[in-house]
């Protein structure tokens, strides 16, 4: 029977290690990026992000975030710090209860309103995502910070399906011509990268994070739509309204001597 975990109370991040021992490991995520301690690495080749847009995907509320599952073998990532080719598996976000918090990684202690994770698995080294998810070098997560600002039209293709997934386990099929590349910042040459973990249980230490320096803007109204998702099926709080899915970010974890590399000087 799967163990319940969440972001507050007894099942919150401080207790994850009791049922998910890797959560207490030495290369956990997220971390704070201290820009004075990052090391420029001139050896990185250009990042190659090739996504097609003719992919059918499904959007689900898994009770911890929304997850857009992608099943196209044409969405590939390679280059940069990566030695192998990785295939897009899903993307999701982390956010807060207001625009002042929500990202998992922080930059010089600054937390953004939300954080986008595009999750890829290593198709050169492993036969399935189920295998890659728990192996070193198995996963690469392209990450973009999100702040409140002007409206992002690309995000509306995803947000327009949110009414179908308000409740947990709600699923909606997305067939329209949508390319997740539109969710990334324009500047895809400046990024930080380090070796970490899944930021939710089971916290496998299998992830290479690639975090773009440029921050993406979405409107405050669009951020409010993230918060409209419900974390529980129909259980009403004693106050009678639905419990909303917010503050689904893990606190930052010890760096333990890891060095964050930068693709830029
Ligand atoms: N916040 S995170 O670190 O990006 C993160 C955290 C936990 C995750 O579990 C999975 N599993 C699959 O996507 C998957 C999808 C299909 C088959 C096997 C695995 N991806 C994750 C990403
Ligand atoms: Zn994530």
């Amino acid at each position: 029977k799967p163990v319940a975990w969440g972001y507050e109370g007894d099942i919150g991040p401080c207790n994850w290690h009791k049922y998910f021992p890797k959560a207490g490991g030495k290369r956990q995520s997220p971390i704070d990026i201290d820009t004075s301690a990052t090391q420029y690495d001139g050896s990185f080749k250009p990042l190659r992000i090739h996504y097609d847009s003719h992919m059918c995907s499904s959007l689900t509320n898994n009770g911890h975030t929304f997850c857009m599952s992608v099943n196209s073998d044409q969405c590939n990532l390679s280059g940069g710090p990566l030695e192998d080719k990785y295939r897009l598996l899903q993307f999701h976000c982390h956010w807060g209860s207001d625009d002042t918090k929500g990202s998992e990684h922080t930059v010089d202690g600054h937390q953004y309103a939300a954080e986008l994770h595009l999750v890829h698995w290593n198709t050169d080294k492993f036969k399935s995502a189920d295998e890659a998810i728990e192996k070193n070098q198995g996963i690469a997560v392209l990450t973009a910070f999100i702040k409140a600002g002007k409206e992002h039209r690309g995000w509306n293709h995803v947000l327009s399906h949110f009414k179908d997934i308000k409740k947990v386990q709600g699923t909606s099929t997305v067939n329209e011509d949508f390319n997740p590349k539109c969710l990334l910042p324009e500047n895809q040459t400046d990024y930080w990268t380090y070796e970490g973990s899944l930021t939710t249980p089971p916290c496998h230490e299998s992830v290479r994070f690639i975090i773009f320096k440029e921050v993406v803007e979405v409107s405050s109204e669009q951020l409010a739509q993230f918060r409209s998702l419900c974390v529980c099926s129909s259980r009403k709080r004693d106050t009678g309204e639905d419990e909303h899915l917010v503050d689904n970010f893990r606190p930052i974890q010890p760096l333990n001597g890891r060095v964050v590399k930068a693709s830029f000087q």
Side-chain angles (χ1 to χ4, degrees), residues 90-111:
Q90 51 105 328
F91 66 85
H92 63 272
C93 282
H94 303 262
W95 59 88
S97 45
D98 62 58
D99 295 357
T100 66
K101 55 185 171 169
S103 68
E104 298 212 288
H105 292 86
T106 54
V107 180
D108 296 332
H110 177 79
Q111 189 174 23

Side-chain angles (χ1 to χ4, degrees), residues 138-154:
I139 299 293
V141 177
L142 277 189
T143 299
F145 294 117
I146 294 172
K147 68 179 180 186
K150 59 184 189 305
E151 183 186 7
H152 191 297
R153 305 176 64 76

